[in-house]
Amino acid sequence: MRTVLEIFLLLSGFVLLIKGADVFVDASVHIAKRLKIPAVVIGLTVVAMGTSLPEAVVSVSAALGGSNALAVGNVAGSNIFNLLLVVGLCALIKPVAVRFRDIVRDYWVSVGAAVLLLLMMVIFTDAIPRYGSLLLFAVFTGYMVSLIRKALKNKGAGENKREDGAPPAPLAKSAGLAVLGAALIIAGGQMTVSGAVSLALKLGITERVVGLTIVAIGTSLPELVTSLVATRKGEEGIAVGNIVGSNIFNILFVLGLSGMIMPLPVDAALIFDMAILTAGSLVFVCFAYTGRRIVRLEGVSMLAMYAAYMGFIVLG
């Protein structure tokens, strides 16, 4: 009976994730059009932060409980999942168009955040002190101020019509639907993780492997579903902005906040994970630069990289 309940929890979580992502993407597009802000900016801000809430909840809770290794592993695993698997799957659906004119700086902020965290781990061999995490948080604050200024400057660059020619939904209604969609995404993510972890432990998979794989993947399910839905709807700006913004948010905000609560631990395994994340970030940017889109073959190679990484984690 317990196993049946866990399977039901897992499947229900997937349903909430899919429906929540559908509502959230539509509402975000309407907000962007109503405010005449490019959809990619909405993807970098509202959508990215909304889909990163599970990582924030898990990591901050881990920090408060004195388990910051889980916080670092969760962020590293989630960001690798976002870059290689989510983008790879989106490219399989159809080539992902990349508008560097809109977010070229944000690509490099994402790479720079990964490099900065990796350097801190190399420099501080036991734990990243609180002032290092404060630096991460300060960089995030500066980035957000810059992003808001850019959004205000570009206001009016977005379309104020839907594809069918009708005006977008009222702002208050769209905002309410965005909140509802985000709530469904968060609830679905938590249910999915809970069900998956219980089933995995019942099957004899160790807690370490569960933490590095299922928890990281589970908290990234909102990014996965949201980006896939956005790609299917032809909103590549939101799909790409969601991934880039989520990865920036995870490193600078989530780890910055977690590390100020409790110093972030450092060990060889976490340094390896961050090195993989940095390499994945560079691969992502290189693929995006070629032809200003990520084609299916590049998507397949990204999926292969992720499979190799996961194989190493599980078998290592």
Side-chain angles (χ1 to χ4, degrees):
M1 186 64 186
R2 177 76 178 176
T3 302
V4 172
L5 180 61
E6 290 162 353
I7 293 174
F8 174 77
L9 193 67
L10 184 64
L11 295 177
S12 298
F14 278 124
V15 171
L16 289 180
L17 276 171
I18 293 170
K19 184 58 181 176
D22 192 48
V23 172
F24 193 51
V25 169
D26 279 344
S28 299
V29 171
H30 283 302
I31 291 172
K33 294 182 184 299
R34 175 62 68 177
L35 297 178
K36 298 184 179 180
I37 295 174
V40 68
V41 176
I42 295 294
L44 282 164
T45 53
V46 178
V47 178
M49 291 185 182
T51 56
S52 288
L53 285 177
E55 284 93 340
V57 171
V58 169
S59 295
V60 172
S61 297
L64 291 172
S67 301
N68 245 355
L70 174 61
V72 180
N74 177 40
V75 166
S78 295
N79 281 17
I80 293 170
F81 180 91
N82 290 343
L83 281 174
L84 299 181
L85 190 134
V86 176
V87 175
L89 287 177
C90 287
L92 282 184
I93 294 176
K94 66 178 181 179
V96 178
V98 179
R99 299 180 62 184
F100 271 96
R101 182 184 63 184
D102 290 335
I103 58 171
V104 60
R105 176 194 56 182
D106 306 288
Y107 279 101
W108 290 114
V109 170
S110 177
V111 174
V115 171
L116 176 60
L117 184 57
L118 177 60
L119 287 176
M120 284 186 179
M121 286 185 168
V122 172
I123 294 172
F124 302 107
T125 54
D126 294 324
I128 298 175
R130 285 185 172 88
Y131 64 81
S133 298
L134 180 61
L135 174 60
L136 292 176
F137 196 84
V139 173
F140 174 77
T141 302
Y143 169 71
M144 287 306 299
V145 170
S146 174
L147 195 60
I148 292 171
R149 286 180 177 175
K150 177 183 176 181
L152 293 175
K153 182 179 179 181
N154 291 341
K155 188 174 180 178
E159 295 292 335
N160 197 28
K161 294 283 186 180
R162 295 189 333 212
E163 290 182 0
D164 57 8
L171 186 60
K173 179 181 178 181
S174 297
L177 288 173
V179 172
L180 174 62
L184 292 175
I185 288 170
I186 294 169
Q190 291 176 335
M191 291 170 65
T192 302
V193 170
S194 178
V197 169
S198 297
L199 286 172
L201 293 177
K202 190 166 290 185
L203 293 172
I205 302 174
T206 65
E207 291 187 12
R208 172 185 173 273
V209 174
V210 169
L212 288 171
T213 56
I214 296 177
V215 174
I217 292 171
T219 55
S220 290
L221 285 177
E223 285 92 340
L224 170 63
V225 178
T226 300
S227 292
L228 290 177
V229 170
T231 300
R232 182 177 58 81
K233 290 176 177 287
E235 296 290 345
E236 291 94 341
I238 283 184
V240 174
N242 174 38
I243 296 303
V244 175
S246 292
N247 282 13
I248 293 171
F249 184 84
N250 286 344
I251 292 177
L252 298 181
F253 177 81
V254 174
L255 286 187
L257 183 59
S258 300
M260 287 189 289
I261 297 172
M262 177 77 66
L264 300 172
V266 175
D267 60 33
L270 290 175
I271 291 177
F272 170 77
D273 291 333
M274 285 310 304
I276 294 296
L277 174 58
T278 303
S281 299
L282 291 172
V283 167
F284 174 66
V285 172
C286 290
F287 282 172
Y289 262 119
T290 57
R292 296 298 188 267
R293 62 178 185 166
I294 300 175
V295 298
R296 287 188 174 90
L297 181 59
E298 292 169 333
V300 170
S301 67
M302 296 174 87
L303 292 174
M305 292 177 206
Y306 185 75
Y309 168 73
M310 290 302 294
F312 180 83
I313 291 297
V314 173
L315 299 176

